[in-house]
Amino acid sequence: MGLCRFFCWKSRLGGGRVGSMDFTQLGRTGLNVSRIVLGTMNFGPLTEVGDAHAIMDAAHDKGVNFFDTANGYGRAIYPGRTEEIIGEWFAKDPANRHKTVLATKVYGDMGDGWPNEGKLSALNIRRALDASLKRLQTDYVDLYQFHHIDRNTPWEEIWQAMEVAVQQGKVLYAGSSNFAGWHIAQAQEAAKRRNYVGLVSEQSLYNLAQRDIEREVLPAAQAYGLGVIPWSPLHGGLLGGVIRKENEGVRRLEGRAKETLENLRPQIEQYEAFADELGHEPGELGLAWLLHQPGVTGPIVGPRTMEQLESAVRAVDIKLDEKSLTRLDEIFPGYKTAPEDYAW
């Protein structure tokens, strides 16, 4: 049985309901965000501008107010193109920005290989933030996330840079992404010494088939009051009915995705059969499972089409009883916290 249902700190529902959406508070903050997070990584390379704007319009119509991006998204065209598409949407109607809790990220190299064009130095944080604000056509970011741990920059420098950004009104909250549990502890203890709030969220790989964060990352996030924002909630589409689509000739996997499917095929077959038994689409069931995990704010979904967005929103209304949750744990076993997961 997965350990994550038994921690004491849980997402706090608040803010009522808008459209088809429930809301929760982001970690220990007072910020109300939708339980589905709109991921924008496909905007530009895979989703045309007009379709991206229509998806963002529809997200608002359905009550999704939490949008996630990164300064490096759009790299297949050029780094920053995705932020530009969002900025163009904001420019069309000031209400779009007002209704959106906007999260972007910093870390990736945005230059031509010249020094100080990436990672988390105070210099890059200042430059990258100003560049993101310009592309996004806004004067502040609600959640500024460190896209990866920077092992060469001390936390005193990172937090000083973030404090300046907050004082300037350019950033409201800070978050992490792809951090280990001890990185979260290190960041929060350094923030505490400065009387600074530190991190309020952690964006991490988490889904039924990939539950490694249950050992240490999830416990650390809950201990320090960080909301957990799972990325790849359907494991690259493998939990989205891939075998059914494969049998229908709708989808053919290649390379690593095909190899992963073959390794997990017996489990995914059981999972899709159980979804049919419950009367849910597999993808919606996978998102609903995440929404039942304490500490999870909401999964990031990256719809390429309107139908995919509508399917993700339906997951909010799926209620899973203990018997169903136990069955999903049997199909995809989780982890105990460390050290009990591997010791006494």
Side-chain angles (χ1 to χ4, degrees):
M1 179 174 290
L3 68 108
C4 49
R5 296 208 300 280
F6 300 101
F7 286 106
C8 58
W9 185 85
K10 298 185 178 183
S11 298
R12 297 164 290 160
L13 294 177
R17 188 176 175 95
V18 176
S20 306
M21 188 52 52
D22 288 332
F23 289 78
T24 188
Q25 288 170 246
L26 180 60
R28 65 192 186 284
T29 76
L31 183 67
N32 285 314
V33 295
S34 52
R35 299 225 62 201
I36 294 295
V37 185
L38 180 67
T40 63
M41 188 170 65
N42 291 323
F43 292 178
L46 297 178
T47 305
E48 296 291 335
V49 174
D51 292 337
H53 287 186
I55 287 172
M56 288 187 282
D57 287 335
H60 271 184
D61 289 343
K62 297 178 184 303
V64 177
N65 76 332
F66 197 6
F67 291 12
D68 177 77
T69 192
N71 62 348
Y73 288 175
R75 194 174 294 274
I77 302 173
Y78 54 81
R81 179 56 188 144
T82 300
E83 286 187 330
E84 288 180 350
I85 291 171
I86 297 170
E88 292 158 7
W89 182 70
F90 286 153
K92 289 168 60 176
D93 185 351
N96 288 340
R97 178 67 186 96
H98 179 73
K99 294 177 181 178
T100 302
V101 175
L102 176 63
T104 192
K105 307 184 195 74
V106 58
Y107 181 87
D109 194 319
M110 297 291 286
D112 56 3
W114 197 252
N116 301 310
E117 295 291 339
K119 298 192 177 179
L120 302 180
S121 69
L123 177 59
N124 187 56
I125 286 175
R126 175 176 175 171
R127 288 175 174 172
L129 175 58
D130 285 345
S132 284
L133 293 175
K134 183 177 180 180
R135 288 189 292 265
L136 289 163
Q137 299 194 47
T138 185
D139 57 1
Y140 74 101
V141 169
D142 298 276
L143 179 64
Y144 202 43
Q145 301 163 110
F146 310 128
H147 211 162
H148 198 277
I149 188 69
D150 183 350
R151 295 179 175 86
N152 296 321
T153 304
W155 277 106
E156 288 74 16
E157 177 179 347
I158 295 170
W159 286 138
Q160 183 179 43
M162 291 300 295
E163 288 167 7
V164 170
V166 170
Q167 290 163 4
Q168 291 173 334
K170 296 178 180 179
V171 170
L172 299 183
Y173 303 97
S176 59
S177 181
N178 306 306
F179 274 31
W182 76 273
H183 294 143
I184 292 172
Q186 187 181 47
Q188 296 304 80
E189 292 305 315
K192 184 190 298 185
R193 292 193 293 271
R194 302 178 67 88
N195 293 316
Y196 182 64
V197 67
L199 302 171
V200 303
S201 63
E202 159 61 17
Q203 189 176 133
S204 197
L205 174 62
Y206 189 30
N207 56 60
L208 265 168
Q210 189 74 51
R211 298 175 60 167
D212 298 80
I213 74 166
E214 293 173 356
R215 291 187 179 102
E216 296 197 29
V217 176
L218 193 56
Q222 291 183 289
Y224 284 103
L226 278 63
V228 174
I229 306 170
W231 61 265
S232 194
L234 299 182
H235 206 46
L238 293 180
L239 299 174
V242 66
I243 294 177
R244 179 198 302 171
K245 294 174 184 176
E246 187 180 61
N247 292 338
E248 294 172 351
V250 176
R251 183 172 186 176
R252 287 287 183 267
L253 298 178
E254 298 178 352
R256 182 178 296 179
K258 181 178 180 179
E259 181 181 341
T260 303
L261 172 59
E262 292 310 310
N263 291 336
L264 293 175
R265 183 174 286 273
Q267 292 167 278
I268 293 177
E269 287 175 345
Q270 294 178 61
Y271 170 71
E272 292 191 13
F274 186 56
D276 287 341
E277 180 183 329
L278 293 177
H280 300 308
E281 290 296 318
E284 294 168 18
L285 178 60
L287 296 175
W289 177 83
L290 282 169
L291 290 170
H292 282 71
Q293 306 313 304
V296 169
T297 297
I300 297 173
V301 300
R304 294 187 298 276
T305 66
M306 206 68 72
E307 292 74 19
Q308 290 175 344
L309 174 63
E310 292 169 354
S311 176
V313 170
R314 286 196 293 270
V316 175
D317 288 325
I318 295 176
K319 307 303 178 186
L320 300 174
D321 59 22
E322 194 64 27
K323 181 179 178 181
S324 297
L325 291 168
T326 298
R327 176 59 182 144
L328 290 170
D329 282 335
E330 290 171 351
I331 298 171
F332 293 106
Y335 299 97
K336 298 177 182 179
T337 48
E340 288 85 355
D341 188 65
Y342 48 79
W344 58 274

